[in-house]
Amino acid sequence: NQNSDKLVLCLEPEAACMACEDERISNVGAQSADSQQILKNGDKFMVLDCGGGTVDITMHRVEETTPLRLSELCKASGGPFGSTFVDQRFEQFLQK
């Protein structure tokens, strides 16, 4: 809730998901957000956050859409598999 004075902490992939849904709602314009709704109660989805240093994987279920409330289906995972490491391995391969 934008009017909340509470600090909410979440993992980066969760924040990305919420930002995408927030952006979608703000871009609906004059149309009803419900008519353009992508996420529905009970939907399950996976977020892959592929960055420079790490790849983070989270899986969620939509508990509520207004306001958006998610539950975690399993413990987040991932590791140091980002594009920086792919680049380094490719350079090592070329040097052989």
Side-chain angles (χ1 to χ4, degrees):
N1 182 337
Q2 292 178 348
N3 298 323
S4 176
D5 59 354
K6 296 179 182 177
L7 175 64
V8 177
L9 300 177
C10 66
L11 298 171
E12 188 177 7
E14 293 170 310
C17 171
M18 289 187 276
C20 287
E21 184 66 5
D22 226 30
E23 181 71 16
R24 183 197 61 75
I25 290 170
S26 66
N27 286 334
V28 168
Q31 298 177 359
S32 163
D34 290 337
S35 69
Q36 299 295 315
Q37 188 173 27
I38 296 170
L39 295 175
K40 296 178 178 49
N41 290 351
D43 282 354
K44 298 174 186 175
F45 62 93
M46 177 187 299
V47 176
L48 298 171
D49 179 10
C50 304
T54 63
V55 172
D56 301 305
I57 305 166
T58 58
M59 295 177 63
H60 303 279
R61 177 180 34 244
V62 178
E63 300 297 337
E64 289 182 42
T65 57
T66 308
L68 181 60
R69 189 169 64 83
L70 308 172
S71 64
E72 194 174 61
L73 292 175
C74 61
K75 183 180 174 190
S77 67
F81 312 115
S83 62
T84 303
F85 297 101
V86 173
D87 291 347
Q88 288 173 356
R89 292 290 186 159
F90 184 66
E91 288 173 8
Q92 291 171 359
F93 171 77
L94 291 177
Q95 292 172 359
K96 289 183 180 179

